[in-house]
Amino acid sequence: MPERLTEMLMDTWTPLIILWITVLPSIYMAPMNQSQVLPSGSGTGLKRLTEEQRVLNRSKRGWVWNQMFVLEEFSGPEPILVGRLHTDLDPGSSKIKYILSGDGAGTIFVINDKTGDIHAMKRLDREEKAEYTLTAQAVDRDTNQPLEPPSEFIIKVQDINDNAPEFVDGPYHATVPEMSVVGTFVTKVTATDADDPVYGNSAKLVYSILEGQPYFSIEPHTAIIKTALPNMDREAKEEYFVVIQAKDMGGHMGGLSGTTTVTITLTDVNDNPPKFAQSLYHFSVMEDVALGEPIGRVKANDLDIGENAKSSYDIIEGDGMDIFEITTDAQTQDGIIRVRKPLDFETKKSYTLKVEAANIHIDPRFISGGPFKDTATVKIVVEDADEPPVFSSPTYLLEVHENAAINSVIGQVTAHDPDVSSSPIRFSIDRHTDLERQFNINAEDGKITLATPLDRETNMWHNITIVATETRNHSQVSRVPVAIKVLDVNDNAPEFASEHEAFLCENGKPGQVIQIVSAVDKDDPKNGHYFLYSLLPEMVNNPNFTIKKNEDNTLSILAKHSGFSRQKQEVYLLPIIISDSGNPPMSSTSTLTIRVCGCSSDGIVQSCNVEAYVLPIGLSMGALIAILACIILLLVIVVLFVTLRRHKNEPLIIKDDEDVRENIIRYDDEGGGEEDTEAFDIATLQNPDGINGFLPRKDIKPDLQFMPRNVKSNILVFLAMLNRNSIVNSYWLLLCSDHTLYIQ
């Protein structure tokens, strides 16, 4: 190798750093291809080769000098020699100094500055750091001037098998369905090795099973775990504990290994049918049990779990299929037998049922294994209970005419004791449903009689409740509703539907319909109402009016002639007899008032009062009264306005004397302080002269209580006159003597 470097130096005349490799078993150098050249770090001379020289000079075999290797974990009494640096500029005169810099220079790697020997001072770990990049340079020892550019090289830490495989994600848990075929995938495990996967077999792993055979197997290189035994039954064994080993060095002897555990659980499939714990069940139930009440439970066990263990129950045979029903308890998966219809000990004392339990979810893979269902027999015995009386009908409908006599029988209810002992029954009426006590009942035979008269027009229906009680056990009580319909009899006479008042125009024509009236009848005949109308016998030949029966059961009133006049007769009274078609018929007389009115040419009524003839321009008495009231009201307002203006100009006290505030009143009475409000009258102090006489004030409304008697009597007389003439307003002006009073 030194010869080749010398030949290259002679071709390029460029100084180079020569790497001397000490032959040691732990140090290696890799050859390059012939087409490669030395890296840039090998010296600057190679960069100065011209293109001509590259063509003329033949390619020489070179060696990669810029990589060194050192074994990891190598230790000894002396530092390890990694390699040696040398340059042809060094004649051996010790004037050249070698300098090392970069990763770990001076700490991990130390260079002899005279010989260029590089030593590893520490124990190296490839898993901690796989390579170190350093820079070497030759300088003048005296001047420290570089003799050539720095050269970079790498020291790689060579791996040894010093790390065992590890399962980072262990321990593992996996599931696989029971009854799976051989080779069914279970799970996959993964181990890691910190050693170099490129160099040697230190990181080449092989997997194997230490525990868990013959149930499971593992692929040596993929670490996929599969089933190795067919038809593993969860009901026999549910959980398996498997130990997996990973070994490096390709599994060869001397390799390191690591282990992990895999817990494999068999999941359930529906491979077991339900099975009743017993083939025959016995239950007893009281005959008075409430509908829907459970009377017993049956249980079909299933070795499966979860959804696969759910079963549905059904009654498939028996003499009580319509009497009983069975449902599934969602929590316990029991079959609950309930009463669907009432039981009667006296009618049937026992029942036999055939109950079936079947899986809800069936796996088609195992359907050939047999039916996933089971059956059992259920015998139910009905026991006698003291039952309340039973009426012959759940409801009763009775009818009675409204004219039925008191104490007459209108109907009967019957009841009996269904028990074998057959206790006597007593009947009564629940008076909360017959507050007016219109009905009675015979306690022995249940006959219902009338206690008070009935009126269909007042109340057509009566709803009462009859109570039946066992005489031997008063707690056994039954009730039944009884509806009583009151039938109609013809006991009401027809009458006008409303108070009619007809209006007849003075300019009416003969035969003109004045009014159409209708009648009503409180009775309700089966064939409907049919009324007959007629005039009183003495009014048959009435010269003014006549009547006509209409098809709709109404009556038309017609005028016989024209020329009616309000001045001659303002009002006519026409009695009419109304009869019904009942048996016996009922009739009544109603009087129709016909008023003569003035009408327009179109027949529209305008006025029906006689006073309208004497009033000018057609004004009525009501209109004149309204106008007069407005005039009086205006006069009152004017008088009040004048009085108020006069009131503002006069003093509050009607007295022309000097101002009372100038009078000083002296007295020796001792007051009662601030709380004494009755010791004196402030009005008296202000107006001493007003003590003996009545001096009215104009700023307040006077009170009749404090007026002199003669003034008060005059006022009362005047008010009585005003009230009699109906002209009392809110305020009236009254002049009494020379004073003005306001009276409300």
Side-chain angles (χ1 to χ4, degrees), residues 209-250:
I209 290 183
L210 300 182
E211 294 182 21
Q213 295 175 332
Y215 305 103
F216 301 96
S217 64
I218 188 169
E219 291 288 340
H221 301 290
T222 61
I224 295 177
I225 301 175
K226 300 180 180 179
T227 58
L229 200 65
N231 300 328
M232 287 187 289
D233 192 0
R234 184 200 65 83
E235 289 74 32
K237 185 176 181 180
E238 183 176 6
E239 192 173 84
Y240 295 85
F241 189 76
V242 180
V243 178
I244 303 297
Q245 180 191 67
K247 190 174 183 180
D248 59 14
M249 297 300 290

Coordinates of all heavy atoms in Angstrom, one line a residue, residues 209-250:
I209 N -42.2 -20.8 20.2 CA -43.2 -21.0 21.4 C -42.5 -21.8 22.5 O -42.1 -23.0 22.2 CB -44.5 -21.6 21.0 CG1 -45.3 -20.6 20.1 CG2 -45.3 -21.9 22.2 CD1 -46.6 -21.1 19.7
L210 N -42.4 -21.3 23.6 CA -41.9 -22.0 24.8 C -43.0 -22.8 25.5 O -42.8 -23.9 26.0 CB -41.1 -21.1 25.7 CG -39.9 -20.4 25.1 CD1 -39.2 -19.6 26.2 CD2 -38.9 -21.4 24.5
E211 N -44.2 -22.1 25.7 CA -45.3 -22.6 26.3 C -46.5 -22.3 25.5 O -46.6 -21.2 24.9 CB -45.5 -22.1 27.7 CG -44.4 -22.4 28.7 CD -44.7 -21.9 30.1 OE1 -45.9 -21.6 30.4 OE2 -43.7 -21.7 30.9
G212 N -47.5 -23.2 25.4 CA -48.7 -23.0 24.7 C -49.0 -24.0 23.6 O -50.0 -24.0 22.9
Q213 N -48.1 -25.0 23.4 CA -48.3 -26.1 22.5 C -49.1 -27.2 23.2 O -49.0 -27.3 24.4 CB -46.9 -26.6 22.0 CG -46.2 -25.6 21.2 CD -44.8 -26.1 20.8 OE1 -44.2 -26.9 21.5 NE2 -44.2 -25.6 19.7
P214 N -49.8 -27.9 22.5 CA -50.0 -28.0 21.0 C -51.1 -27.1 20.5 O -51.6 -27.3 19.4 CB -50.3 -29.4 20.8 CG -51.1 -29.8 21.9 CD -50.6 -29.1 23.1
Y215 N -51.6 -26.1 21.3 CA -52.8 -25.4 20.9 C -52.5 -24.3 19.9 O -53.3 -24.0 19.0 CB -53.4 -24.8 22.2 CG -53.7 -25.8 23.2 CD1 -52.9 -25.9 24.4 CD2 -54.8 -26.6 23.1 CE1 -53.2 -26.8 25.4 CE2 -55.1 -27.6 24.1 CZ -54.3 -27.7 25.2 OH -54.5 -28.6 26.2
F216 N -51.3 -23.7 20.0 CA -51.0 -22.6 19.1 C -49.6 -22.8 18.5 O -48.7 -23.5 19.1 CB -51.1 -21.3 19.9 CG -52.4 -21.0 20.5 CD1 -52.7 -21.3 21.8 CD2 -53.4 -20.5 19.7 CE1 -53.9 -21.1 22.3 CE2 -54.7 -20.3 20.2 CZ -54.9 -20.6 21.6
S217 N -49.3 -22.1 17.4 CA -48.0 -22.1 16.7 C -47.7 -20.7 16.3 O -48.6 -19.8 16.3 CB -48.0 -23.1 15.5 OG -49.0 -22.5 14.5
I218 N -46.4 -20.5 16.0 CA -45.9 -19.2 15.6 C -45.0 -19.3 14.4 O -44.2 -20.2 14.3 CB -45.2 -18.4 16.8 CG1 -44.9 -17.0 16.4 CG2 -44.0 -19.2 17.2 CD1 -44.5 -16.1 17.6
E219 N -45.2 -18.4 13.5 CA -44.3 -18.3 12.3 C -42.9 -17.8 12.8 O -42.8 -16.8 13.5 CB -44.8 -17.4 11.3 CG -46.1 -17.9 10.6 CD -45.8 -19.0 9.6 OE1 -44.6 -19.1 9.2 OE2 -46.7 -19.8 9.3
P220 N -41.8 -18.5 12.5 CA -40.5 -18.1 13.1 C -40.0 -16.7 12.7 O -39.4 -16.1 13.5 CB -39.5 -19.2 12.5 CG -40.4 -20.3 12.1 CD -41.7 -19.7 11.7
H221 N -40.3 -16.3 11.5 CA -39.8 -15.0 11.0 C -40.8 -13.9 11.1 O -40.4 -12.7 11.2 CB -39.2 -15.2 9.6 CG -38.2 -16.2 9.5 ND1 -36.9 -16.0 10.0 CD2 -38.2 -17.5 8.9 CE1 -36.2 -17.1 9.8 NE2 -36.9 -18.0 9.1
T222 N -42.1 -14.2 10.9 CA -43.1 -13.1 10.9 C -43.8 -13.0 12.3 O -44.4 -11.9 12.5 CB -44.2 -13.5 9.9 OG1 -44.9 -14.7 10.3 CG2 -43.7 -13.6 8.5
A223 N -43.6 -13.9 13.2 CA -44.1 -13.8 14.6 C -45.6 -13.8 14.6 O -46.2 -13.2 15.5 CB -43.5 -12.6 15.3
I224 N -46.3 -14.4 13.6 CA -47.7 -14.5 13.5 C -48.1 -15.8 14.3 O -47.7 -16.9 14.0 CB -48.2 -14.6 12.1 CG1 -47.9 -13.2 11.4 CG2 -49.7 -14.9 12.1 CD1 -48.3 -13.2 9.9
I225 N -49.0 -15.6 15.3 CA -49.5 -16.7 16.1 C -50.8 -17.3 15.5 O -51.7 -16.5 15.2 CB -49.7 -16.3 17.5 CG1 -48.4 -15.8 18.1 CG2 -50.2 -17.5 18.4 CD1 -48.5 -15.2 19.5
K226 N -50.9 -18.6 15.3 CA -52.1 -19.2 14.7 C -52.5 -20.3 15.6 O -51.8 -20.8 16.5 CB -51.8 -19.7 13.3 CG -51.4 -18.6 12.3 CD -51.1 -19.2 11.0 CE -50.6 -18.2 10.0 NZ -50.3 -18.8 8.6
T227 N -53.8 -20.8 15.4 CA -54.3 -22.0 16.1 C -53.6 -23.2 15.5 O -53.4 -23.3 14.3 CB -55.8 -22.1 16.0 OG1 -56.2 -22.1 14.6 CG2 -56.5 -20.9 16.6
A228 N -53.3 -24.1 16.4 CA -52.6 -25.4 15.9 C -53.5 -26.6 16.2 O -53.1 -27.7 15.8 CB -51.3 -25.5 16.6
L229 N -54.6 -26.4 17.0 CA -55.5 -27.5 17.3 C -56.9 -27.2 16.9 O -57.4 -26.1 17.2 CB -55.4 -27.8 18.8 CG -55.8 -29.2 19.3 CD1 -54.9 -30.2 18.8 CD2 -55.8 -29.2 20.9
P230 N -57.6 -28.1 16.3 CA -59.0 -27.7 15.9 C -60.0 -27.9 17.0 O -59.7 -28.6 18.0 CB -59.3 -28.8 14.8 CG -58.4 -29.9 15.2 CD -57.2 -29.4 15.8
N231 N -61.2 -27.2 16.8 CA -62.3 -27.4 17.7 C -62.0 -27.2 19.2 O -62.4 -28.0 20.1 CB -63.0 -28.8 17.5 CG -63.4 -29.0 16.1 OD1 -63.9 -28.0 15.4 ND2 -63.3 -30.2 15.6
M232 N -61.3 -26.1 19.5 CA -61.0 -25.8 20.9 C -62.3 -25.2 21.5 O -62.9 -24.3 20.9 CB -59.9 -24.8 21.0 CG -58.5 -25.4 20.8 SD -57.2 -24.2 21.1 CE -57.4 -23.1 19.8
D233 N -62.8 -25.8 22.6 CA -64.1 -25.4 23.1 C -64.0 -24.5 24.3 O -63.3 -24.8 25.3 CB -64.8 -26.7 23.6 CG -66.3 -26.5 23.9 OD1 -66.7 -25.4 23.8 OD2 -67.0 -27.5 24.3
R234 N -64.6 -23.3 24.2 CA -64.6 -22.3 25.3 C -65.2 -22.9 26.5 O -64.7 -22.6 27.6 CB -65.3 -21.1 24.8 CG -65.2 -19.9 25.8 CD -66.3 -18.9 25.6 NE -67.6 -19.5 25.9 CZ -68.1 -19.6 27.1 NH1 -67.5 -19.2 28.1 NH2 -69.3 -20.1 27.2
E235 N -66.3 -23.7 26.4 CA -66.9 -24.2 27.6 C -66.0 -25.2 28.3 O -66.2 -25.4 29.5 CB -68.2 -24.9 27.2 CG -69.3 -23.9 26.8 CD -69.1 -23.3 25.4 OE1 -68.5 -24.0 24.5 OE2 -69.5 -22.1 25.2
A236 N -65.0 -25.8 27.6 CA -64.0 -26.7 28.3 C -62.9 -25.9 28.9 O -62.5 -26.1 30.0 CB -63.5 -27.7 27.3
K237 N -62.3 -25.0 28.1 CA -61.2 -24.1 28.6 C -61.3 -22.8 27.8 O -61.3 -22.8 26.6 CB -59.9 -24.8 28.4 CG -58.7 -24.0 29.0 CD -57.4 -24.7 28.8 CE -56.2 -23.9 29.4 NZ -54.9 -24.6 29.3
E238 N -61.3 -21.7 28.6 CA -61.6 -20.4 28.0 C -60.3 -19.6 27.7 O -60.2 -18.9 26.7 CB -62.5 -19.6 28.8 CG -62.9 -18.2 28.2 CD -63.9 -17.5 29.1 OE1 -64.2 -18.0 30.2 OE2 -64.4 -16.4 28.7
E239 N -59.3 -19.8 28.5 CA -58.1 -18.9 28.4 C -56.8 -19.8 28.4 O -56.7 -20.8 29.1 CB -58.1 -18.0 29.7 CG -57.1 -16.9 29.5 CD -57.2 -15.9 30.7 OE1 -56.6 -16.2 31.8 OE2 -57.9 -14.9 30.5
Y240 N -55.9 -19.3 27.5 CA -54.6 -20.0 27.4 C -53.5 -19.0 27.6 O -53.6 -17.8 27.1 CB -54.5 -20.6 25.9 CG -55.5 -21.7 25.7 CD1 -56.8 -21.4 25.3 CD2 -55.1 -23.0 25.9 CE1 -57.7 -22.4 25.1 CE2 -56.1 -24.1 25.6 CZ -57.3 -23.8 25.2 OH -58.2 -24.8 25.0
F241 N -52.4 -19.5 28.2 CA -51.2 -18.7 28.5 C -50.0 -19.2 27.7 O -49.6 -20.3 27.8 CB -50.9 -18.8 30.0 CG -49.8 -17.8 30.5 CD1 -50.1 -16.5 30.7 CD2 -48.5 -18.2 30.7 CE1 -49.2 -15.6 31.1 CE2 -47.6 -17.3 31.1 CZ -47.9 -16.0 31.3
V242 N -49.6 -18.3 26.7 CA -48.6 -18.7 25.7 C -47.3 -17.9 26.0 O -47.4 -16.6 26.2 CB -49.1 -18.5 24.3 CG1 -48.0 -18.9 23.3 CG2 -50.4 -19.3 24.1
V243 N -46.1 -18.5 26.0 CA -44.9 -17.8 26.1 C -44.1 -17.9 24.8 O -43.9 -18.9 24.2 CB -44.0 -18.5 27.2 CG1 -42.6 -17.8 27.3 CG2 -44.7 -18.5 28.6
I244 N -43.8 -16.7 24.3 CA -43.1 -16.6 23.0 C -41.6 -16.1 23.3 O -41.4 -15.2 24.1 CB -43.8 -15.5 22.1 CG1 -45.3 -15.9 21.9 CG2 -43.1 -15.4 20.8 CD1 -45.5 -17.2 21.2
Q245 N -40.7 -16.7 22.5 CA -39.3 -16.4 22.6 C -38.8 -15.8 21.3 O -39.1 -16.3 20.2 CB -38.4 -17.6 23.0 CG -36.9 -17.3 23.1 CD -36.1 -18.5 23.2 OE1 -36.0 -19.3 22.2 NE2 -35.5 -18.7 24.4
A246 N -38.0 -14.7 21.4 CA -37.3 -14.2 20.2 C -35.8 -14.3 20.4 O -35.3 -13.8 21.5 CB -37.7 -12.7 20.0
K247 N -35.1 -14.9 19.5 CA -33.6 -15.1 19.6 C -32.9 -14.6 18.4 O -33.3 -14.7 17.3 CB -33.4 -16.6 19.8 CG -31.9 -17.0 20.2 CD -31.8 -18.5 20.4 CE -30.4 -18.8 20.9 NZ -30.2 -20.3 21.1
D248 N -31.8 -13.8 18.7 CA -31.0 -13.2 17.6 C -30.0 -14.2 17.1 O -30.0 -15.4 17.5 CB -30.4 -11.9 18.1 CG -29.5 -12.0 19.3 OD1 -29.1 -13.2 19.6 OD2 -29.1 -11.0 19.9
M249 N -29.1 -13.7 16.3 CA -28.1 -14.6 15.6 C -28.8 -15.6 14.8 O -28.2 -16.8 14.6 CB -27.1 -15.2 16.6 CG -26.3 -14.2 17.4 SD -25.3 -13.2 16.4 CE -24.1 -14.4 15.8
G250 N -30.0 -15.3 14.3 CA -30.7 -16.2 13.4 C -31.1 -17.5 14.2 O -31.4 -18.5 13.5

